[in-house]
Amino acid sequence: MPSSPVPSPPEPSAPEPSSSEPSSPAPGPRPARRSPATGRGAWHRRAARPVMGWMLALVMVVLVHQWAPQARWLMVHMVTLGLITTSIMVWGRHFAEASLKTRLGEESRPRQLARPRPLTAGVVVTIAGILPGWPWLVVLGALAVSAAALWYAAALGAQIRAALAPRFAFTVRAYITAACLLPVGAVLGAVMAFGPGEPWQGRLMLAHQIVNVLGFVGLTVTGTLLTLWPTVARTRIELAAATRAAGGSLGMFLAVLGAVAGALIGSTLLGCAALLAYLGSFAWVAATLVRVAVRGVRQERRVPLAPFPILSIAAGTGWFALTTAGLLVMWWRSADAQMASSLVAADVQRLTVPFVAGFLLCRSCWGR
């Protein structure tokens, strides 16, 4: 920026400047201030509204669950479909921006805030169909949930295509794969609403839980860990190492398909083999995360670590692995029993509450 010239003495014939004239140049145009309604903090508050709404509704249901019909189903699905799925759809775009090194414009924020609305409507319609036993209303809710998941996946795909150098695109691809599994779980749940009877009721329930918990939630969390864990460990992960570890997400996806097939055809051997492959693929990812943690501990003298996020993420991840191992043991122990899938589905319901209370609620603390 050139410096201002030094003013020379006025010529004798020149009139003296008036005292009313400004002695300094007029200031340039001020930069436009960001509207309080469009700032980053305001957007975060608006994005969190659906999650807070589900949390308040859950508290109300917990208080009256003794008199509420289908109370167990209602509380579990308000957490998984209401709290967790809404959080994933809102904050998945945030993690995608960080992973792809892109920043969405303010004009895209309204669409991002509108994306959970079909999901919320679908969950409400599903609840309205389950409580009085109206299966076709459940089908309508499942279609809305599926549409919301596919819209979310399409938006993430467009975000990858728009990125100039998507170094950590494998995280976003894991989100897309997980989102495409949610409609499968929704369809299985809608079919169960018609009460097909045994053995199909138990088989469908087991497949429904596998594809939603191990597929949708498991793949989303695994993809997030590959970028979030190095951040909380205050260290870096090499791109080559992260890419190799991301191969475990593909193994987990294929294992979910195998476990769902085993549940639907009533094959304990196929289901248990698929769960072993799932745990092995998850262990492949976890090995890389352990190495990152060790590196972070070694450099703690230079970069202090915050213990709460590290312990909460580690606790949630360990809880998830133990719950999956528990499902494997239950399934294997029912190998010689008739209607094995039905027995496993009934036993798995005992794991649902510990899973939700432990793993998912630990995960909700990650952002703190």
Side-chain angles (χ1 to χ4, degrees):
M1 181 176 179
S3 58
S4 302
V6 178
S8 58
E11 296 290 337
S13 60
E16 292 197 12
S18 172
S19 59
S20 61
E21 294 180 359
S23 59
S24 59
R30 295 181 179 180
R33 293 183 178 180
R34 180 176 294 182
S35 172
T38 59
R40 188 175 183 86
W43 181 84
H44 283 179
R45 288 191 296 270
R46 287 188 294 165
R49 286 175 186 172
V51 179
M52 294 301 298
W54 281 114
M55 192 173 296
L56 292 175
L58 176 63
V59 171
M60 294 176 61
V61 171
V62 169
L63 293 176
V64 300
H65 74 279
Q66 294 181 349
W67 304 278
Q70 303 281 354
R72 182 188 181 91
W73 181 95
L74 190 59
M75 289 186 290
V76 167
H77 285 77
M78 288 180 74
V79 173
T80 53
L81 273 180
L83 282 171
I84 303 303
T85 306
T86 303
S87 299
I88 287 174
M89 286 192 179
V90 171
W91 299 110
R93 295 298 301 275
H94 171 75
F95 281 108
E97 287 184 59
S99 301
L100 300 175
K101 302 298 183 183
T102 59
R103 180 172 176 80
L104 299 177
E106 291 294 333
E107 67 279 0
S108 67
R109 298 304 184 190
R111 290 194 303 272
Q112 191 171 351
L113 292 172
R115 194 164 290 115
R117 293 173 186 170
L119 172 67
T120 302
V123 177
V124 171
V125 171
T126 301
I127 292 173
I130 286 291
L131 296 184
W134 296 341
W136 288 107
L137 197 57
V138 177
V139 171
L140 184 61
L143 290 176
V145 171
S146 301
L150 295 177
W151 185 15
Y152 167 69
L156 291 176
Q159 201 166 342
I160 290 181
R161 292 190 298 271
L164 297 178
R167 298 180 63 222
F168 292 94
F170 50 79
T171 292
V172 187
R173 292 192 186 100
Y175 293 168
I176 295 173
T177 305
C180 291
L181 288 175
L182 187 59
V184 178
V187 170
L188 293 172
V191 174
M192 281 193 297
F194 289 90
E198 297 297 347
W200 284 108
Q201 186 75 13
R203 293 179 180 183
L204 289 168
M205 182 181 295
L206 181 58
H208 173 76
Q209 293 174 335
I210 289 173
V211 75
N212 285 336
V213 175
L214 301 187
F216 175 63
V217 177
L219 286 175
T220 300
V221 170
T222 303
T224 304
L225 282 173
L226 288 173
T227 53
L228 179 63
W229 183 247
T231 302
V232 299
R234 306 287 178 89
T235 185
R236 301 185 64 180
I237 183 172
E238 294 80 6
L239 180 60
T243 304
R244 286 194 303 269
S249 298
L250 177 60
M252 292 169 66
F253 169 70
L254 297 176
V256 166
L257 297 183
V260 169
L264 292 177
I265 66 176
S267 173
T268 301
L269 182 60
L270 176 59
C272 290
L275 288 184
L276 277 175
Y278 186 93
L279 286 171
S281 300
F282 186 73
W284 173 263
V285 179
T288 300
L289 300 179
V290 169
R291 288 193 289 269
V292 171
V294 171
R295 185 183 309 150
V297 170
R298 288 176 177 174
Q299 64 183 22
E300 185 180 6
R301 293 180 179 178
R302 291 177 296 164
V303 184
L305 299 178
F308 179 79
I310 293 177
L311 294 177
S312 63
I313 293 175
T317 305
W319 201 284
F320 176 74
L322 289 175
T323 307
T324 306
L327 172 60
L328 172 61
V329 172
M330 288 181 178
W331 205 343
W332 180 255
R333 291 175 60 183
S334 68
D336 297 331
Q338 294 182 347
M339 296 191 304
S341 297
S342 300
L343 293 174
V344 175
D347 289 339
V348 165
Q349 293 187 55
R350 294 183 298 179
L351 289 177
T352 304
V353 173
F355 179 85
V356 170
F359 170 66
L360 293 181
L361 294 184
C362 280
R363 183 182 178 274
S364 68
C365 300
W366 291 7
R368 293 188 180 181

